[in-house]
Structures are given as structure tokens and as C-alpha cells.
Amino acid sequence: TKVSAALTGCRAIVHLAAAMHTNDRELESVNVEGLLNIVALAGSQGIQRFIYASCLGATQFSTSKYFQTKWQGETMIRTSNFYWTIFRPSLIFGPGSHLMRALDFSVTKIPFIPVMGSGLNQIQPVSNDDVAACIIQSLYNRDTVQQTYDLLGPKAYSLTEMLEMAAAGSTASKKPTVKVPLQLG
């Protein structure tokens, strides 16, 4: 297969692939079965180093199907024979990131700025550059083997603050904010 050919000669895998906002079947297919296939191929090719990007919030007690599948991935990697490292980033920001697209949509495509719930929940986003630097630094660092790292940015923001920052300097800054019950979000 193409994936098998792509792994030929590789010494390490950095697994970043994931489905986020989709149906349960696709989450299982991409986040669990897809990872299982890569793990099997990597093992058959003799690859020893495996870096896995999970997400903050993935636990065995998660109620979100996305978090559940990422936890299954973590469990799969932890019980493998690889020299593994797991990263659990918070929401990642950077050009084109899911977070930036969602904030942009919220402040530009809707006639008001929707704030889900109280708007006080704290988010500690991490930059895509910082996540990439952590992954690169871990590749040949033995101290990171069999370790799991939560990756958070240096500052926590409320959802309201994040939306205000996204709207700043644009016509969106003049839009009213409206609290939306979580059930409707």
C-alpha cells in the first residue's frame, strides 16, 4: 500500500491524524482503526520511535466520543513495543487552525457574537509552533520516552475574552454578544 511504501526507511512516526467533528463511525475509523493500521505497519517495518498527538481531556471517563477515541489511541500506544511519547495539547492556535476558523466564523458570519454558556470557562490555547517544537525536540530525546505531556499555552482566557480578541480591530467588534445555552450550541 501507499502508507507501507511511505514508511520504508523511516526511523520514527509522528502521528497527528485525527477526525474531530463527525459521526461516531468516522471517529472510530480514523482515530482508532487508522491508528491501529499505522501501528501494525510500523511494527512490521521495524520502526521503534512513535510520537502520538492526543488531546487534553482524553481520559477513560470522557463522555465525548472524540475524547474516548483519543484515549483508546493513547492506550494502544502505551501498551505497544515502541519507544513512545504522547502529547496532549490544549486547543491549538495558528493560521488555519480549527480554533482560529471557529473564532473567525463566530465573529464574522453571525450577526451577533455567540458566547456558549456563561462564557467564563477557561481555555489555555497553545500555539502550533510550540506543539511542533515539542514534538521535534522529543524525537531523539531519551528522557521523553514512555512519557505523556500536557501542552498548554502560557495564559488562560475565558471564551468571552477569546471572542473579543478575535473581533478586535474589525467591524465585528461593534456586534453585540449573546449568551447561547450550551444545549443550543
Side-chain angles (χ1 to χ4, degrees), residues 98-177:
H98 175 74
L99 175 61
M100 299 306 286
R101 289 191 316 269
L103 289 171
D104 181 63
F105 180 85
S106 293
V107 300
T108 62
K109 306 292 186 205
I110 302 173
F112 57 89
I113 298 175
V115 178
M116 300 301 157
S118 70
L120 300 176
N121 46 319
Q122 296 288 300
I123 303 164
Q124 202 164 340
V126 60
S127 86
N128 57 351
D129 290 338
D130 289 345
V131 173
C134 289
I135 290 170
I136 291 167
Q137 291 170 15
S138 75
L139 274 171
Y140 297 105
N141 184 341
R142 290 181 183 189
D143 293 337
T144 66
V145 171
Q146 270 59 22
Q147 299 295 316
T148 300
Y149 297 98
D150 292 346
L151 301 179
L152 300 129
K155 187 172 183 330
Y157 301 92
S158 70
L159 176 58
T160 302
E161 289 173 315
M162 299 268 307
L163 289 164
E164 288 170 354
M165 287 187 295
S170 72
T171 57
S173 65
K174 295 176 179 32
K175 290 181 181 181
T177 58

Side-chain angles (χ1 to χ4, degrees), residues 54-70:
S54 183
C55 64
L56 202 59
T59 73
Q60 70 263 35
F61 306 110
S62 298
T63 57
S64 155
K65 184 66 173 177
Y66 170 70
F67 288 153
Q68 290 171 4
T69 60
K70 294 306 278 184

Side-chain angles (χ1 to χ4, degrees), residues 19-40:
M20 284 183 68
H21 301 288
T22 186
N23 62 56
D24 288 358
R25 177 66 199 120
E26 190 170 329
L27 288 169
E28 283 285 333
S29 175
V30 173
N31 298 351
V32 179
E33 294 165 21
L35 177 61
L36 184 61
N37 291 337
I38 295 293
V39 164

